[in-house]
């Protein structure tokens, strides 16, 4: 994705530190995206992802803490369906992947190229918001 715009809400007097960030993206093929992140919120936990298409939307709520409660909502042609799901904490899956990698077993690991691309995108967001990238 390419960053189109980004806006940061600074934390107190230090204008280099953001407490909230929004960013808009353009993606190949004409799709767009938006991210909102905040460490300063009145909501205890608000983690979700939403995909909007021509016929409807998919919203996944609290996908990073399935041990608490998670759900997805699919709306297609005006008809809505909700499902709840649970699971182990994401840290359990991370630990299993780490142990497998240490043992030389197949592991579902993020390749370094994805990590570098993600950090480059985060740097682009900071620059677009007028903040310096993190060291």
């Amino acid at each position: 994705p390419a960053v189109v715009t980004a806006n940061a809400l600074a934390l107190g007097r230090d204008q280099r530190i953001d407490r909230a960030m929004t960013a808009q993206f353009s993606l190949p093929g004409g799709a767009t995206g938006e991210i909102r992140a905040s460490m300063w919120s009145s909501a205890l936990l608000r983690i979700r992802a939403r995909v909007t298409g021509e016929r409807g939307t998919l919203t996944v709520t609290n996908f990073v803490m399935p041990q608490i409660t998670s759900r997805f909502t699919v709306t297609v042609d005006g008809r809505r369906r909700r499902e709840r799901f649970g699971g182990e904490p994401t840290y359990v899956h991370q630990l299993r992947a780490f142990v497998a990698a240490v043992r030389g077993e197949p592991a579902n690991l993020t390749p370094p190229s994805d990590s570098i691309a993600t950090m480059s995108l985060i740097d682009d967001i900071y620059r677009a918001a007028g903040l310096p990238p993190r060291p």
Side-chain angles (χ1 to χ4, degrees):
V3 178
V4 176
T5 62
N7 295 298
L9 179 60
L11 178 64
R13 294 181 183 164
D14 192 339
Q15 295 296 301
R16 299 171 301 161
I17 301 172
D18 60 297
R19 68 178 184 189
M21 180 75 73
T22 60
Q24 291 74 37
F25 306 95
S26 62
L27 295 112
T32 60
E34 179 176 285
I35 187 171
R36 297 178 197 168
S38 177
M39 298 297 288
W40 199 279
S41 176
S42 60
L44 177 62
L45 180 67
R46 186 178 299 160
I47 300 170
R48 69 177 175 216
R50 180 178 300 152
V51 178
T52 303
E54 293 178 9
R55 295 179 50 207
T57 61
L58 165 67
T59 304
V60 183
T61 303
N62 193 25
F63 53 91
V64 298
M65 294 178 65
Q67 73 275 17
I68 294 177
T69 182
S70 299
R71 73 174 182 274
F72 67 85
T73 305
V74 178
T75 304
V76 177
D77 297 332
R79 295 184 61 177
R80 183 177 2 186
R81 179 180 60 132
R82 288 185 174 162
E83 290 190 30
R84 293 193 178 278
F85 59 94
E88 297 174 313
T90 55
Y91 292 118
V92 171
H93 298 283
Q94 292 172 23
L95 181 57
R96 285 185 184 138
F98 174 78
V99 169
V102 168
R103 290 179 175 164
E105 301 167 357
N108 183 15
L109 300 177
T110 302
S113 59
D114 282 2
S115 299
I116 292 168
T118 298
M119 290 311 303
S120 294
L121 183 59
I122 290 170
D123 286 349
D124 290 346
I125 292 169
Y126 276 112
R127 284 187 199 96
L131 297 174
R134 301 308 182 241

